[in-house]
């Protein structure tokens, strides 16, 4: 009977037959895609990012044609001089003149006019507004900061600290760019080192790294193009590099490992590549589809940053899959056995001395298959214990002081600002649409608002009111208690929204008032996220479930995959909360301070982990299914499948854990949380889940693993028959020696 050829086998076969065309096409694609960055990227603005009431505030301003300029300030402090001293006044006058002289601002307020002088009379605020939109201001702010720095050098007795939206954006962009460069320089040598140990040959180790780098470069260009439809942000760039490097290397590793394995079994290069395309190539395609399906769930949140991260991760995965099934087989066809060039002698000797066996995984799998029920219970109990801290998880949008090292200049400015002028680093903004309302009543309501706000004890002076003439829109900037994300700030926002506004501005007929600002945006973000959790989870679980059924033609395998992945994600959440929220060993990993987990992180981690964890699941179960389809019983298939994948899974997991852990060392705490959470999850997935729980559960289920009810037979069939040599012989011997339940040993053929 003729074999059914899947898409991965068909593409791989074409690439092998047209190898130069495939290589040239890939290089052309990478160059053209990378040029997409020349078009520039569109950053998300306040309207794009807005949700809930704070989103409505941004929309009122946009509808009225009012730009959203960046609000900035300079904090002047002196231990020796008071604000009314000649020296201090001279410093204030000079900094105002310098800021105005840059031509980058539209308004500069003296503290002597605005009343922004500290109670102890040793500090004052110079407030200024950048010209143009807030996102554009980040490009112009360096000129202003340089002018302030020059003034500071002339007034040694007064300290000058800058803070604001554009200042923070400029600083964070610089930090992100520095961190990304550091991560790339660290991740590439790390991946190369692990691959050298895994393959024992320089050329074979370099190929996956080069392919991952070119794929990531192309994905960046494609991301820039997509931002004209879906605006991006800084988080998306981090996600693209993180996912691109990790899956790019792993997918190539899976493919290359299988091709070398078949060559070592005595098959010619073309046959070996055909088998690799039909097996590992297929697993890569299905894994990629599962990851993309999971990432697509982020669009259901309705939140701009999730959409941006979804597009970035999808671009990274799609390009990595494309490279693995097209140019990689073409390169291997061109190189042939020269892929073994640059062999590392001492590694080769070690591998030979070990007789190609991984003793640790062999011994572990033997015990798991001997005592599957006990092994499953131990694994589930361990994961459940790790997941316990997630029961008290708290989330919030981190402020600058929480997200950066407290010693960073921007964080220091935020801390000092809160000490001298409580609420100014987390200002609330009330946008009031008065069109159609009685203006006399509005004026009286504004006065009442100021009185009641200050009387609440949670909202402070100075409350500034900006009347955008001709638009009917007023903007009130209100300092609030707390740091922006703590309990005091939440209570202040609740007082503003629930008490002060209803009794003042909102009591005037025809007036619409909406509150925005860091605290309001955090609360609204969390509320929107809570509403979208169920749709996203349902979408990801159902789609992944259907893909598993379609690939393995088994209801049991699909259910097992869902349950195991949920256990893995839950345990990773628990460890994340234990470290970053509860503070356990936080300083040991370079964390800044314990506190709520970044609001966007839990859902993002679920989506990305659910997708990435399928890599190992698909790869391992595909090999088990392949052996089972050749006539082996399930227990033997499990043993043989783990034996042939233990080395490559270990290498792939080490690379992913290493890359993610590098991101856990970067400067921004929310990125640390992301890198740490991903590293922990992949480590658990490749060890406890795939090495312990998966074989135990499959051994307990036996032949029931392959059960598919008739009512699901209508689903598309993505499975593929066992690859065969040209003479029709299977790619592995058909006589697979059964493995007794009580004696399974020496299961792994290769070391990492």
């Amino acid at each position: 009977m003729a074999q059914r050829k899947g898409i991965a086998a068909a593409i791989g076969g074409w690439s092998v037959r047209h190898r130069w065309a495939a290589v040239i096409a890939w290089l052309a694609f990478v160059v053209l895609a990378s040029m997409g960055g020349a078009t520039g990227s569109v950053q998300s603005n306040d309207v794009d990012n807005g949700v809930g009431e704070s989103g409505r505030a941004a929309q009122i301003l946009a509808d009225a044609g009012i730009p959203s300029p960046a609000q900035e300030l300079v904090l002047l402090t002196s231990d020796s001089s008071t604000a009314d001293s000649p020296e201090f006044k001279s410093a204030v006058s000079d900094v105002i003149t310098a800021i105005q002289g840059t031509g980058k601002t539209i308004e500069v307020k003296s503290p002597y006019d605005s009343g922004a002088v500290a109670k102890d009379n040793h500090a004052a605020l110079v407030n200024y507004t950048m010209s143009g939109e807030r996102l554009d201001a980040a490009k112009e702010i360096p000129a202003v900061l340089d002018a302030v720095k020059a003034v500071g050098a002339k007034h040694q007795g007064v300290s000058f600290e800058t803070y604001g939206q554009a200042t923070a954006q400029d600083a964070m962009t610089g930090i992100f760019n520095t961190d990304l460069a550091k991560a790339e320089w660290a991740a590439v040598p790390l991946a190369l080192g692990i691959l050298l140990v895994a393959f024992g040959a320089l050329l074979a180790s370099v190929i996956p790294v080069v392919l991952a780098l070119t794929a990531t470069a192309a994905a960046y260009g494609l991301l820039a193009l997509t931002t004209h439809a879906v605006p991006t942000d800084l988080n998306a760039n981090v996600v693209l590099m993180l996912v691109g490097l990790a899956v790019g290397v792993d997918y190539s590793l899976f493919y290359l490992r299988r091709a070398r394995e078949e060559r070592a079994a005595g098959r010619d290069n073309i046959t070996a590549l055909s088998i690799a395309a039909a097996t590992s190539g297929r697993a890569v395609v299905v894994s990629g589809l599962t990851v993309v399906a999971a990432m697509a769930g982020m669009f259901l949140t309705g939140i701009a940053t999730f959409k941006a991260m979804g597009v970035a991760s999808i671009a990274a995965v799609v390009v990595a899959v494309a490279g693995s099934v097209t140019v990689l087989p073409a390169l291997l066809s061109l190189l042939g056995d020269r892929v073994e060039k640059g062999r590392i002698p001492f590694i080769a000797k070690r591998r030979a001395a070990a007789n190609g066996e991984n003793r640790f995984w062999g011994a572990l799998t033997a015990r798991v298959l001997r005592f599957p029920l006990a092994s499953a219970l131990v694994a589930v109990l361990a994961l459940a214990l790790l997941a316990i801290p997630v029961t008290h998880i708290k989330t919030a949008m981190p402020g600058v002081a929480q997200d950066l090292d407290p010693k960073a200049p921007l964080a220091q400015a935020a801390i000092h600002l809160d000490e001298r002028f409580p609420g100014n680093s987390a200002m609330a903004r009330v946008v009031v649409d008065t069109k159609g309302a009685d203006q006399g009543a509005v004026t009286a309501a504004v006065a009442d608002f100021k009185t009641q706000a200050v009387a609440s004890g949670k909202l402070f002076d100075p409350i500034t009111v900006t009347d955008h003439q001709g638009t009917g829109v007023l903007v009130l900037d209100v300092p609030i208690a707390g740091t922006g994300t703590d309990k005091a700030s939440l209570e202040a926002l609740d007082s503003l929204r629930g008490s002060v506004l209803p009794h003042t501005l909102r009591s005037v007929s025809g007036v619409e008032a909406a509150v925005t600002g860091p605290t309001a945006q955090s609360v609204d973000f969390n509320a929107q996220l809570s509403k979208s959790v169920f749709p996203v989870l349902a979408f990801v679980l159902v789609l992944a479930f259907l893909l598993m059924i379609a690939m393995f033609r088994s209801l049991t395998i699909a259910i097992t995959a869902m349950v195991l992945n949920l256990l893995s994600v839950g345990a990773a959440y628990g460890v994340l909360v234990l470290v970053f929220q509860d503070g356990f060993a936080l300083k040991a990993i370079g964390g800044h301070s314990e506190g709520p987990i970044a609001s966007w992180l839990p859902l993002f981690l679920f989506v990305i982990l659910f997708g990435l964890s399928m890599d190992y699941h698909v790869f391992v179960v595909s090999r088990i299914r392949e052996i089972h389809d050749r006539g082996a019983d399930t227990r033997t298939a499990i043993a043989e499948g783990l034996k042939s994948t233990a080395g490559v899974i270990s290498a792939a997991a080490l690379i992913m854990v290493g890359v993610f852990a590098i991101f856990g060392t970067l400067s921004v705490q929310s990125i640390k949380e992301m890198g740490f959470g991903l590293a922990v999850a992949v480590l658990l997935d490749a060890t406890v889940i795939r090495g312990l729980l998966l074989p135990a559960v499959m051994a307990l289920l036996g032949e029931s693993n392959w059960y598919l009810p008739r009512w699901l037979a209508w689903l598309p069939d993505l499975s593929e028959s066992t690859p065969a040599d040209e003479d029709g012989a299977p790619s592995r011997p058909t006589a697979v020696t059964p493995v007794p339940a009580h004696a399974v040993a020496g299961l792994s053929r290769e070391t990492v």
Side-chain angles (χ1 to χ4, degrees), residues 170-247:
D170 175 67
M172 294 299 286
T173 299
I175 291 170
F176 269 79
N177 289 340
T178 301
D179 280 356
L180 286 177
K182 184 171 74 172
E184 186 173 7
W185 280 106
V188 171
L190 175 68
L192 185 58
I194 294 171
L195 290 169
L196 279 172
V197 176
F199 287 134
L202 181 61
L203 187 55
S205 304
V206 168
I207 289 174
V209 174
V210 172
L211 188 55
L213 290 174
T214 56
T216 302
Y220 268 120
L222 294 177
L223 177 63
L225 290 174
T226 64
T227 62
H228 296 276
V230 181
T232 190
D233 61 15
L234 292 175
N235 286 334
N237 291 334
V238 175
V239 169
L240 191 149
M241 175 171 285
L242 187 146
V243 174
L245 290 178
V247 302

Side-chain angles (χ1 to χ4, degrees), residues 434-438 441-442 505-512:
T434 68
K435 293 188 294 291
D438 180 84
V442 170
L505 287 163
R506 285 179 180 162
S507 67
V508 179
S509 178
V511 166
E512 180 182 5

Side-chain angles (χ1 to χ4, degrees), residues 72 74 95 98-100 102-105 128 130 137 140-151 162 167:
E72 308 296 313
V74 180
V95 80
I99 292 172
Q100 291 172 333
T102 63
K104 306 293 185 182
T105 63
Y128 63 97
M130 295 293 293
E140 306 294 336
I141 196 68
V144 180
L145 300 181
D146 289 342
V148 173
K149 185 177 181 180
V151 173
T162 54
T167 302

